[in-house]
Amino acid sequence: MKLQPTSDAPSLHIDEHIARIRLRRPAQANRLEPQDLDLLLDYCGQLSARPEVRAIIIESSGRYFSAGYDIRRIVDIAGQSAADTLENPFEAVIEAFERLPQPTIARLHGGVYGGSTDLALACDFRIGTPATEMFMPAAALGLLYYPSGIQRFTSRLGMQTAKELFLLGEKIDAQKMLDVGFLSEIVAAEALDARVMAIAARLIAQAPLAVQGAKRAINDMARNEFDRWEFKLREAQALRSQDLKEGLSAWSEKRPASFTGR
């Protein structure tokens, strides 16, 4: 059964090669609720099956990017179960985002808090403004973060930065986010949309098999999940592709290539 989003639930809009996921709960700092998680997983499934989509932008309305997942929902899960271990439902959503085949861009116009820091980190590019800031309040709230999130922060930003963010829980500004590698770049607020779209345009102009194959290899290496045999299969597919022939022809003819993903 197809999920029907409510008026304040995250939306998905696809325009030719670009998909946009928008968080639409600005009055609650774009906090994610349990019903949003199934919807976001559904969006990830839809996008993974749409080869014509070559770039995905995640953005939000209002002052903040997002306050992350409502921690009270996690407490409710813990209180309703006597099991020795528990699954955090938010973790599955972030893993699905990171494993999307298409490259992803996080448009970070404002505050990035709690679980939304991991949502942004799971994206391939994170573009901020001088107003962008972040903090991870897990320890201040008594929450031990889920393992893949801690692993992502540690592998992407380094052990010392991960400790500072998770143990100290201090708010850091855009420049610090750039310095530690959380932000890909900072642009003026009025230039944010143009820069995000320029990156998306650059991505969709590249050969999809090469872009998606490289993204998967890089992420797999960062997770210590790299499978050389699977990569060699993808490499052979790219070497035999029509896109490679088109790319070589366009290069020699000094014209833009027109890739089809085949």
Side-chain angles (χ1 to χ4, degrees):
M1 182 178 66
K2 186 175 181 180
L3 298 173
Q4 296 297 326
T6 59
S7 60
D8 64 349
S11 63
L12 171 63
H13 177 71
I14 299 174
D15 184 7
E16 296 185 345
H17 296 308
I18 298 176
R20 305 181 84 108
I21 295 174
R22 175 173 283 267
L23 308 183
R24 301 184 297 169
R25 200 169 281 122
Q28 291 79 39
N30 294 308
R31 183 181 66 215
L32 293 170
E33 298 292 348
Q35 63 270 24
D36 299 329
L37 303 189
D38 287 338
L39 187 61
L40 290 171
L41 284 173
D42 181 66
Y43 290 164
C44 288
Q46 290 183 47
L47 292 168
S48 295
R50 296 283 295 267
E52 74 275 16
V53 174
R54 300 186 189 177
I56 299 167
I57 299 167
I58 181 164
E59 57 194 0
S60 60
S61 306
R63 179 181 175 185
Y64 305 102
F65 173 69
S66 175
Y69 188 53
D70 189 348
I71 190 173
R72 292 170 298 182
R73 308 303 185 181
I74 304 172
V75 174
D76 289 344
I77 293 172
Q80 294 166 8
S81 174
D84 290 337
T85 62
L86 298 169
E87 295 297 326
N88 186 329
F90 187 68
E91 182 176 17
V93 174
I94 307 306
E95 286 294 289
F97 261 93
E98 185 170 74
R99 294 175 190 273
L100 281 164
Q102 302 94 335
T104 50
I105 308 164
R107 178 190 179 278
L108 305 177
H109 67 285
V112 187
Y113 308 133
S116 75
T117 61
D118 197 28
L119 175 60
L121 196 57
C123 294
D124 300 302
F125 303 95
R126 293 165 297 281
I127 314 303
T129 74
T132 306
E133 62 181 14
M134 69 168 284
F135 75 97
M136 172 59 68
L141 295 170
L143 176 70
L144 179 58
Y145 215 70
Y146 52 85
S148 67
I150 295 176
Q151 192 271 345
R152 196 166 6 260
F153 272 82
T154 303
S155 66
R156 305 311 190 265
L157 306 180
M159 185 173 72
Q160 188 59 40
T161 295
K163 286 183 177 180
E164 290 174 4
L165 293 172
F166 280 98
L167 307 188
L168 297 177
E170 294 179 344
K171 187 177 293 185
I172 64 174
D173 62 16
Q175 186 58 53
K176 177 70 171 179
M177 293 169 73
L178 181 67
D179 291 344
V180 301
F182 188 95
L183 286 179
S184 306
E185 57 185 281
I186 301 171
V187 300
E190 61 270 21
L192 180 60
D193 287 326
R195 182 56 183 151
V196 168
M197 290 306 297
I199 294 172
R202 180 68 176 172
L203 288 168
I204 67 177
Q206 309 301 307
L209 292 177
V211 167
Q212 294 178 20
K215 169 182 172 168
R216 179 170 173 179
I218 293 167
N219 283 353
D220 284 351
M221 289 174 181
R223 289 191 295 260
N224 293 318
E225 295 177 1
F226 182 70
D227 186 314
R228 182 177 176 84
W229 173 250
E230 287 185 359
F231 177 83
K232 296 299 288 183
L233 292 175
R234 294 192 296 274
E235 179 189 29
Q237 181 186 16
L239 286 170
R240 296 184 179 114
S241 69
Q242 292 298 315
D243 275 355
L244 180 57
K245 295 176 182 177
E246 165 63 11
L248 292 173
S249 295
W251 187 274
S252 64
E253 296 166 13
K254 296 181 172 56
R255 61 171 174 82
S258 180
F259 295 116
T260 63
R262 297 190 292 273

